[in-house]
Amino acid sequence: MRRVVAVVVTWHRERELSRLLASLASSTAPLTGCVVMDHAGTVGEFPSLPFPVRVFHDPANPGPGVGWANGARRVREVFGAAADILYLDDDVVLPPQTLEILLREMSGASAICPLLEDAGGRLWGFPEPFIARQRKLIRWSETPADALRLLGPGPHRFCWATGACLLADAGAADSVGLHRRDFWMLGEDLEYSMRLASGGRAVFTCLASVPHLPPTPADPESAKRADDRKFRSLLRNLSYLAFHSPHSAHMWRYLPGNFRRFFRTHGVSSRTISGAWSCFRLGALCGQPAGAGPGALGPETGQMGQSLPVDIREQI
């Protein structure tokens, strides 16, 4: 029987974390344990769950990539090297059969992920399929049911995927390493999944869909300001990946759509134009992710706002 340990990185989201752990407690495939990397230093213990939860505090808030890498190391220290790792965002909720489906459909792959849906059941995010025809089909999908109908259950190979829910086998850390520490936020999961996919053994399944339910910001104005900074981190990291990752496939095609989305969200002004150019220059031309080199954006100390999926729906 395979041993699976979840790794969650969280920052001031105790309610969402408790909701996630409650969903994991109902899993039809039992977890061996869970490692929580708390970047706010505010999370307590969870003694009543059917699996052990180990909480490690790092109030320096170094970013998700560092948290996931440190969490994977803690898994080996606490649970041993033979455990698969289920990387999770703190604001997802896993339906009971999710892990069981992922383990069954993994079928010799090094990593597998489900689809992601929003609170209304619409498709929120999905991996980038390896097969070009599937990329068009998944863009036409409005719901996970559409993707299942158009693509079939899978498993299907992917080029990259978000880290909201990703199951990597126990040997992944030895074969491709851990998450990088220099992305600060947004993009570190894409880069890691690219390495997993580089050997052709990373897949996704349309049989499982996981709700991604970020909290509503308490202060919309503060959230918008933080979102601007977070969005710039994404643009810089995508620019870096498109031109400097050996496994980025066709990521460069999606840069214009994401820059357009930035301007639609935050407007066109001298400030946003200068910021966008800086992101492209530092990422693509200088080869520096958002957590490295001059102009590094992290770490963040304010409200993070909602997650920003890579926009791959637009025709470039």
Side-chain angles (χ1 to χ4, degrees):
M1 183 176 179
R2 301 184 73 151
R3 301 169 66 244
V4 180
V5 178
V7 173
V8 186
V9 181
T10 190
W11 186 80
H12 287 303
R13 284 187 173 178
E14 287 83 354
R15 184 174 66 177
E16 288 73 25
L17 177 62
S18 296
R19 181 184 63 190
L20 168 59
L21 294 176
S23 74
L24 293 174
S26 300
S27 174
T28 56
L31 281 176
T32 300
C34 179
V35 168
V36 175
M37 303 304 297
D38 173 24
H39 286 181
T42 57
V43 174
E45 299 299 323
F46 298 89
S48 60
L49 293 169
F51 49 83
V53 178
R54 296 292 303 273
V55 179
F56 298 92
H57 302 288
D58 186 359
N61 190 20
V66 177
W68 274 325
N70 290 342
R73 293 187 181 93
R74 294 294 191 179
V75 168
R76 290 200 161 191
E77 293 173 6
V78 177
F79 298 99
D84 299 333
I85 298 180
L86 179 62
Y87 294 100
L88 296 168
D89 276 356
D90 57 9
D91 54 7
V92 298
V93 178
L94 269 65
Q97 291 187 312
T98 302
L99 181 55
E100 180 181 352
I101 293 171
L102 295 180
L103 288 170
R104 185 184 70 232
E105 297 298 312
M106 204 167 183
S107 61
S110 59
I112 187 170
C113 63
L115 303 176
L116 300 173
E117 61 183 73
D118 62 18
R122 298 174 66 83
L123 201 59
W124 181 87
F126 45 83
E128 175 75 346
F130 178 80
I131 298 174
R133 178 175 176 273
Q134 290 183 337
R135 295 173 204 153
K136 294 182 178 180
L137 293 175
I138 206 164
R139 290 191 195 103
W140 295 339
S141 303
E142 296 295 331
T143 66
D146 291 338
L148 176 60
R149 175 175 53 85
L150 293 171
L151 276 71
H156 308 287
R157 288 178 59 186
F158 68 68
C159 299
W160 64 77
T162 71
C165 181
L166 177 71
L167 177 63
D169 71 13
D174 295 322
S175 60
V176 304
L178 302 175
H179 287 76
R180 285 176 54 162
R181 308 173 69 88
D182 56 353
F183 272 61
W184 176 56
M185 173 162 284
L186 293 173
E188 76 292 321
D189 52 349
L190 299 178
E191 193 278 335
Y192 183 61
S193 69
M194 287 175 184
R195 279 185 277 138
L196 289 169
S198 63
R201 296 179 58 243
V203 299
F204 69 97
T205 176
C206 296
L207 292 173
S209 180
V210 169
H212 183 266
L213 308 172
T216 302
D219 181 357
E221 285 302 316
S222 296
K224 185 176 182 180
R225 289 193 296 270
D227 178 84
D228 173 82
R229 192 167 186 254
K230 190 176 180 182
F231 213 139
R232 285 186 284 118
S233 177
L234 174 67
L235 293 178
R236 181 165 163 181
N237 288 335
L238 292 181
S239 297
Y240 169 84
L241 289 173
F243 294 98
H244 295 277
S245 170
H247 312 303
S248 65
H250 47 276
M251 172 68 76
W252 62 271
R253 296 181 182 177
Y254 299 130
L255 282 181
N258 280 281
F259 275 90
R260 282 198 298 267
R261 189 159 58 99
F262 172 74
F263 288 120
R264 284 201 301 264
T265 302
H266 295 285
V268 178
S269 65
S270 59
R271 184 188 66 83
T272 57
I273 292 172
S274 174
W277 164 245
S278 178
C279 291
F280 182 81
R281 179 179 61 83
L282 291 171
L285 304 183
C286 299
Q288 296 169 350
L297 291 171
E300 174 62 77
T301 57
Q303 169 66 36
M304 293 314 306
Q306 295 189 2
S307 299
L308 298 168
V310 180
D311 186 354
I312 64 173
R313 290 180 177 272
E314 296 189 42
Q315 297 290 338
I316 305 302

